[in-house]
Amino acid sequence: MTAAKGSRGKSARHLTLSDPFATAAVRSAVLATWRRSPSRFREDANAEESLALIAYADRVVVELAANASDAAIAAGVRGVLRFSVVNGELRAANTGAPLTVEGVAALASLRASAKRGLAAGTGHFGVGFTAVLSVTDQPQIYSSAGGVEFSLAATIAAVEAQNSPELSAELAMRHQLPPILRLPWPLPAEQLPAGFTTEVRLRLRPHVDITTVLAAAGDYLLLTLPGLDSIELPDRTLTRRVDGPDLVTITDGESTTTWRLARRSGVLSPELSAMRPIEERDRLDWWITWAAPAGRSLLDTGGSEVLYAPTPTDEILQLPARLIGTFPVDDSRRHLAVGPLADFMTGQATEGYLDLLTSAEPSQRLSLIPDAGFGLSRMDTELRLAILEKARKTRLLVTVLGDAIAGESAVVLGSAPTELAEMVAEAIPNLVPAPESAAAAQTLRTLGVRTLETSDMSTALAGLGRGPRFWGRLYELLGYASGDDLADLPVPLADGRTVLGGRGLLIPEMVADSPDEQEYLAELMQALPGLRLVSPAAVQSTSSRQLLLRLGGTLADPSAILADPSVQAQIRSLQVDLDNDEPVEHFENFAFAMLSLIARGGRAPDGLFVDLILTSADDEPWPASQLLLPDSDLAQLIDPAADIPFVSDSLVERFGAQVLAQAGVLASFRVLHDDSAVGPDHELPDESSWWEEVVGSSENAVRTFSAIADLDLIDTDKWPQALRMLSRNREALECLKSAPGSPITYSRWWIANFAVLDEHPPNHWRLPTATDLGGLFDPLPAAVDVEMAELVGVRTGLGQVLIDDVDELLDRLTDPNRVLAAGLVSPITQAVVDALLAQGRHIEPPDQVRVLSGEVIEADNALVLDEPWLAQVLLAAELVPGGSHPERIARFFDLELASVALAAGEIHPGGSQASAIGETTEAVAATTAWQAIGGSLTDSRWINDVLLTAELTVTVDGVDLRVSWWRAGEKNWVDGSAAGWGRLMAYHLGQWSVRHLATAAVAGLSAELVEFGLD
């Protein structure tokens, strides 16, 4: 409020008007009171200011609407309120009872309403009209009998006219702001809008925004004010239409909302009414109304609501519906008056909300369930907690089967599709449909609905008798679930059984409606009664198959069926049936099933068909692994004496040679695999000998074992062809290869020892390229692949024999029937001795030894050549090469060193005119040759001490023998020849292999030097 300028004498115009509402008496009484008690003036001013600026601020539209509603109720007519703006005035015209003397008196008094006894009315405090002071200093009310106004200027003038220093002082202290609504003034009657009985006119202050003021008009007014049916605004009209006992449609401009209502009403008990102020005690009727937008939650519009009592309060409620009722409020009408009556009304509101829930369609009830937890106000919290407590026990939900049920008794399948819930509802009591959103899921939890784990659901389904197509659709809908939760899921099998869980099941890819597949399936199930094959009708879709695969199933391709444990067990049992002399017909169905699976691309695990019983050519049951395929490569190699029966011609015609070969019929070499071999239990020829001789008691006694079977059936004359066949068989080749550090494989060992190539085993021969074994081993006479030859024991070279069979090499080295080139004697002799000594072996010295001539002589007649010059006076036919370690060779063969034997005979060199060459031209030439072969000039001084003689001889057994060079002690002799000098230089250089180079250097043979790479 603001003080008016020049306000003195303003009230004079009111004195000449008629006064139908007795305003003069009211003014006289109020002014007299103020004169007697200026403090009362101050009290009235403070009270009015508090109501106008705080309690009723921003409530102009609400209070005018409440007054219009009460007027319509009092007159029993349809309530209409029209807001208009005329010449800067906000006007509010309403239908209903006109203004009365009592009404004017009530407007001019604080907290003395004229509506006492109006049970359905809204106003009963007598202070609501104070709200107009927030927008105007001069409110006016016109009615059919006349009008009244309240004026800031007129009130100031009237106070000043009292000539009371105390009142004037108080007015001054209040900055010329007296209580406006205590003094009413008459107004002349004016023409009202047609059809209306009362109009309030508010001259707005300059700063007031009329748009903001009218924005407070909303549909809540038509819901909360029972006497009001229509509100007309400058830009739109709000109307209310009653569509039924519990339905109201409100149109706001172009927007229309249908509200579903739940009402409760009654009469207060004397105890509760006694707790209210005196003027409230005769209002015994109470009522509450819940209003929810049909089809949605009030919270969907965002923001918060408030409690309407029945006009808006500041009690915030965040509930899905709007609450309106005769709640007790404080003087400001903004807050709930806490006490027993408020508690009573809150309890009734709780029950009313349950009425709202139960009257709603089941599909819309979840949207009306409040959130759990603390609210935005004390009342909000109390209401939501009380509503939820009752809602959990109320039959608000409907099961999938259509039964009403309380939330605390219901279960839900989480995010399961609706169709899934419908399919399993018969097996799961109290099952409600799955929520359609995360919010709905939270609401179900709030209601106490228990989420059923998928594992519990799958267990419950065990007793649900349904056909395969039902289960197939169920598997499609369960695609969201994890495999661990479906361990007990029922699965129908093709033989009519139902099992729990998918682990180990075979899942067909066939089409159930295909006649050919149906016939094949029937034959398969007849032959394999233990097969856990899922009914094809249950896995017609990819998603259903994928689910069972996640549960541990396997796609039932032919290979998977062949690998199934039931098939393997049935094959093992066939041998027992064969031993019991069951007729051939007993085995046919199973055999045909196995062969059909192979014909469809099935690949059996290794060794599966060893015991598969087929029919021989003479119509007898035989294990497949003991039948021979006619016209096969293997059939051409088998020894006729082996008497292997051929497989039935009818089976060959029906299934073909390739299928029969895959079923184990002998068409090529059969390979066995055992991942946990512990001994000779594979029924292979000479297997025990291999385990004993090769494996022994080593850590390799338990190993992965692979071997080629039926090698003993090969015709002796057909081994070259057999080896060529093996070389084309990759799997068989692997059986001949040993891992690093592992002993020789069984198959390689057996072929090397028992196969026959030109009347000898493979290890009797060497490869033609193994020339370092020339003479000791004969070249392989048969045309065999080199890799295969190496794998089966054909000797590949000296190094291989030294590793694999050094004893055989020593035997052949000392065999006089073997012709060995002289050049090979020395390297082979030294290699054999080194190999045996490296193994820490000390053998009995042989009686015969091979000498440098290549011959074999008696060991007693042999010496070991340990110094190179001795070869000039000894025969090659009596010398064993000493190599780089002659003492080791001598000890090994128990022979005498040549140098020791000759020294014992006191042999000395000699010749004519032997003398040291000193620094002669011969010494210079020798030194040049020494440097040419890589000798150091520093180490060439020995050349000057060489004894040179034209004829160098040594005496052996009394015979003088010519030599070209000699050493005795530290003395060196040479006969001056290039050959003598060359050998002497090579000896001093420590590189015997350069003796020929040294000889060419001494002789100055330039052509020979070029051959050695020298310029």
Side-chain angles (χ1 to χ4, degrees):
M1 296 185 293
T2 58
K5 299 296 184 181
S7 59
R8 288 185 181 276
K10 290 278 184 163
S11 62
R13 69 185 181 90
H14 299 114
L15 300 180
T16 60
L17 298 175
S18 62
D19 192 10
F21 299 110
T23 61
V26 174
R27 293 196 304 276
S28 176
V30 171
L31 289 171
T33 301
W34 287 351
R35 284 194 304 271
R36 289 192 303 270
S37 177
S39 60
R40 176 62 183 272
F41 170 80
R42 179 184 178 188
E43 290 173 5
D44 288 348
N46 288 338
E48 183 178 281
E49 184 179 42
S50 176
L51 291 170
L53 299 182
I54 299 175
Y56 287 85
D58 302 324
R59 293 173 66 91
V60 176
V61 170
V62 174
E63 293 302 329
L64 292 177
N67 288 337
S69 174
D70 290 344
I73 292 173
V77 298
R78 179 175 178 269
V80 179
L81 173 63
R82 175 187 293 171
F83 287 101
S84 60
V85 179
V86 179
N87 298 324
E89 286 184 347
L90 173 62
R91 296 183 179 184
N94 63 267
T95 61
L99 188 63
T100 64
V101 174
E102 293 81 4
V104 173
L107 291 175
S109 62
L110 289 175
R111 302 196 58 76
S113 175
K115 303 173 184 178
R116 180 165 54 182
L118 186 62
T122 302
H124 51 277
F125 286 99
V127 296
F129 193 69
T130 311
V132 301
L133 298 181
S134 63
V135 298
T136 185
D137 294 333
Q138 191 177 349
Q140 297 175 340
I141 306 173
Y142 290 93
S143 191
S144 56
V148 296
E149 75 169 350
F150 300 90
S151 169
L152 173 63
T155 301
I156 293 174
V159 171
E160 292 177 344
Q162 302 306 307
N163 296 317
S164 169
E166 291 86 352
L167 285 177
S168 298
E170 188 63 39
L171 182 62
M173 292 182 66
R174 294 192 59 81
H175 306 288
Q176 302 296 309
L177 293 175
I180 297 173
L181 296 182
R182 294 305 312 278
L183 302 180
W185 305 89
L187 289 175
E190 289 196 13
Q191 184 69 36
L192 298 177
F196 293 91
T197 59
T198 305
E199 185 175 56
V200 177
R201 298 179 181 179
L202 306 176
R203 176 69 61 179
L204 301 177
R205 298 191 187 97
H207 68 275
V208 175
D209 180 11
I210 189 62
T211 302
T212 302
V213 173
L214 293 180
D219 60 0
Y220 70 91
L221 294 174
L222 297 182
L223 283 175
T224 57
L225 301 175
L228 205 56
D229 294 314
S230 176
I231 301 176
E232 300 175 6
L233 298 164
D235 59 343
R236 71 191 197 281
T237 298
L238 288 81
T239 60
R240 175 173 58 190
R241 184 185 74 240
V242 177
D243 298 326
D246 299 319
L247 289 177
V248 171
T249 298
I250 296 179
T251 300
D252 183 354
E254 296 181 357
S255 173
T256 298
T257 303
T258 297
W259 295 76
R260 191 161 42 78
L261 309 178
R263 298 183 177 95
R264 278 184 168 247
S265 61
V267 178
L268 294 175
S269 66
E271 293 81 9
L272 288 176
S273 63
M275 298 179 182
R276 298 301 293 152
I278 295 297
E279 291 194 8
E280 299 295 315
R281 292 179 186 177
D282 59 348
R283 289 177 176 252
L284 298 181
D285 295 333
W286 64 266
W287 58 269
I288 64 103
T289 297
W290 284 101
R296 61 183 176 88
S297 167
L298 190 61
L299 299 178
D300 293 342
T301 59
S304 302
E305 277 287 328
V306 296
L307 169 67
Y308 294 86
T311 53
T313 69
D314 286 347
E315 296 289 346
I316 300 176
L317 300 180
Q318 197 170 36
L319 297 168
R322 181 173 293 162
L323 177 58
I324 313 158
T326 56
F327 287 87
V329 290
D330 61 12
D331 292 348
S332 68
R333 300 194 69 183
R334 289 182 178 271
H335 296 286
L336 195 67
V338 179
L341 181 56
D343 296 339
F344 169 78
M345 292 297 292
T346 300
Q348 291 300 324
T350 300
E351 296 296 338
Y353 202 91
L354 267 294
D355 296 339
L356 181 71
L357 286 171
T358 54
S359 66
E361 292 294 327
S363 61
Q364 297 180 10
R365 290 173 184 170
L366 290 185
S367 65
L368 295 175
I369 300 298
D371 293 335
F374 293 102
L376 299 180
S377 67
R378 175 182 174 181
M379 187 177 187
D380 191 26
T381 300
E382 290 179 357
L383 273 174
R384 72 175 61 229
L385 293 178
I387 290 170
L388 289 175
E389 181 179 0
K390 288 183 174 291
R392 293 188 183 102
K393 304 177 185 300
T394 304
R395 294 175 179 268
L396 297 175
L397 303 178
V398 177
T399 68
V400 175
L401 297 179
D403 301 322
I405 189 173
E408 61 183 14
S409 301
V411 295
V412 69
L413 288 178
S415 57
T418 300
E419 184 182 353
L420 174 63
E422 293 173 349
M423 294 180 72
V424 303
E426 185 177 324
I428 303 175
N430 303 335
L431 179 65
V432 297
E436 297 180 354
S437 64
Q442 177 59 43
T443 301
L444 289 180
R445 288 192 290 270
T446 300
L447 287 176
V449 177
R450 180 171 61 90
T451 298
L452 191 69
E453 297 296 334
T454 308
S455 57
D456 296 330
M457 180 206 69
S458 66
T459 302
L461 296 178
L464 196 61
R466 292 291 188 274
R469 292 191 182 277
F470 169 88
W471 293 113
R473 179 55 182 159
L474 184 72
Y475 302 155
E476 292 175 356
L477 297 173
L478 282 172
Y480 69 91
S482 70
D484 293 339
D485 291 336
L486 300 174
D488 296 327
L489 185 67
V491 182
L493 300 185
D495 60 6
R497 293 178 295 159
T498 298
V499 297
L500 299 182
R503 186 165 300 282
L505 298 185
L506 293 169
I507 306 167
E509 295 182 289
M510 57 194 66
V511 180
D513 295 332
S514 168
D516 292 341
E517 293 298 342
Q518 288 180 341
E519 181 181 357
Y520 167 71
L521 178 63
E523 294 175 354
L524 192 65
M525 295 309 299
Q526 181 181 1
L528 307 174
L531 196 65
R532 286 158 55 90
L533 181 70
V534 177
S535 172
V539 286
Q540 287 297 286
S541 68
T542 301
S543 56
S544 59
R545 286 194 294 271
Q546 289 297 326
L547 176 70
L548 293 184
L549 287 173
R550 292 209 319 268
L551 298 185
T554 303
L555 280 178
D557 56 47
S559 296
I561 296 176
L562 290 173
D564 190 77
S566 66
V567 173
Q568 299 185 35
Q570 197 163 342
I571 289 179
R572 288 193 295 269
S573 70
L574 293 177
Q575 186 60 49
V576 177
D577 295 339
L578 187 63
D579 295 339
N580 292 333
D581 295 326
E582 294 285 351
V584 68
E585 293 78 14
H586 175 77
F587 305 97
E588 282 184 345
N589 284 342
F590 183 76
F592 288 170
M594 294 297 98
L595 295 175
S596 296
L597 288 170
I598 296 174
R600 285 171 169 260
R603 184 173 180 82
D606 293 332
L608 175 66
F609 292 137
V610 171
D611 296 322
L612 178 63
I613 306 302
L614 299 179
T615 308
S616 69
D618 54 3
D619 205 29
E620 291 292 330
W622 277 89
S625 60
Q626 298 179 29
L627 290 172
L628 191 60
L629 190 66
D631 300 323
S632 63
D633 291 341
L634 186 61
Q636 313 304 317
L637 304 179
I638 296 297
D639 189 342
D643 196 24
I644 304 297
F646 286 103
V647 71
S648 166
D649 290 337
S650 62
L651 289 179
V652 177
E653 292 175 4
R654 179 170 179 175
F655 294 101
Q658 184 177 359
V659 169
L660 292 172
Q662 289 180 265
V665 177
L666 298 176
S668 61
F669 289 104
R670 183 164 52 93
V671 176
L672 304 178
H673 294 287
D674 185 353
D675 292 332
S676 57
V678 294
D681 55 0
H682 305 93
E683 299 182 1
L684 295 170
D686 306 296
E687 185 183 2
S688 297
S689 298
W690 175 77
W691 279 92
E692 181 179 351
E693 295 175 13
V694 178
V695 179
S697 59
S698 71
E699 65 276 8
N700 294 313
V702 179
R703 56 149 61 89
T704 298
F705 179 82
S706 298
I708 305 168
D710 309 315
L711 294 173
D712 57 328
L713 302 180
I714 303 300
D715 189 333
T716 302
D717 296 332
K718 301 292 181 65
W719 269 105
Q721 297 94 309
L723 292 179
R724 286 194 290 272
M725 183 187 296
L726 286 173
S727 68
R728 297 191 298 269
N729 188 327
R730 181 176 301 178
E731 190 177 18
L733 276 176
E734 292 302 317
C735 295
L736 302 176
K737 299 176 181 179
S738 303
S742 299
I744 184 174
T745 67
Y746 161 79
S747 299
R748 183 173 181 176
W749 171 85
W750 196 93
I751 295 176
N753 287 279
F754 298 101
V756 179
L757 297 173
D758 198 12
E759 300 183 359
H760 293 286
N763 58 15
H764 174 81
W765 308 99
R766 67 171 173 86
L767 291 177
T769 55
T771 54
D772 53 355
L773 294 176
L776 297 182
F777 292 87
D778 298 326
L780 179 66
V784 178
D785 178 82
V786 172
E787 180 185 15
M788 176 59 68
E790 294 178 0
L791 288 174
V792 298
V794 177
R795 311 302 189 174
T796 61
L798 177 61
Q800 177 255 324
V801 182
L802 288 171
I803 295 173
D804 292 346
D805 203 354
V806 67
D807 293 298
E808 174 70 11
L809 191 62
L810 178 60
D811 289 343
R812 291 180 177 245
L813 179 64
T814 57
D815 183 359
N817 295 318
R818 288 278 165 188
V819 178
L820 186 62
L824 295 177
V825 175
S826 179
I828 293 177
T829 300
Q830 183 165 325
V832 169
V833 173
D834 289 345
L836 288 170
L837 292 179
Q839 296 175 12
R841 298 173 57 193
H842 300 281
I843 64 173
E844 185 71 21
D847 295 332
Q848 295 178 310
V849 293
R850 193 170 297 272
V851 293
L852 284 169
S853 64
E855 303 169 79
V856 174
I857 66 172
E858 297 297 324
D860 293 341
N861 299 326
L863 297 174
V864 175
L865 180 64
D866 58 330
E867 298 292 1
W869 58 85
L870 299 179
Q872 299 174 97
V873 296
L874 296 173
L875 297 176
E878 60 186 13
L879 290 176
V880 173
S884 58
H885 301 287
E887 295 85 359
R888 183 185 298 174
I889 301 293
R891 286 195 303 272
F892 183 84
F893 287 108
D894 194 20
L895 300 177
E896 190 175 17
L897 292 172
S899 62
V900 175
L902 290 180
E906 296 184 357
I907 300 176
H908 299 287
S912 58
Q913 300 177 350
S915 61
I917 64 173
E919 297 181 358
T920 61
T921 56
E922 290 85 350
V924 174
T927 300
T928 301
W930 171 255
Q931 290 178 296
I933 64 172
S936 169
L937 184 62
T938 304
D939 297 332
S940 64
R941 295 175 183 175
W942 63 271
I943 295 176
N944 296 330
D945 297 326
V946 171
L947 298 173
L948 180 65
T949 178
E951 295 183 4
L952 179 60
T953 61
V954 294
T955 303
V956 180
D957 293 333
V959 178
D960 291 336
L961 301 174
R962 284 287 304 268
V963 294
S964 61
W965 70 293
W966 198 263
R967 273 183 59 82
E970 295 299 322
K971 294 182 179 181
N972 301 293
W973 282 269
V974 67
D975 66 353
S977 66
W981 274 110
R983 283 160 175 75
L984 185 60
M985 288 184 181
Y987 174 80
H988 277 278
L989 190 63
Q991 298 181 28
W992 189 244
S993 60
V994 303
R995 61 190 181 278
H996 301 297
L997 173 62
T999 298
V1002 172
L1005 303 175
S1006 58
E1008 284 78 355
L1009 290 176
V1010 170
E1011 290 178 2
F1012 285 107
L1014 298 179
D1015 189 9

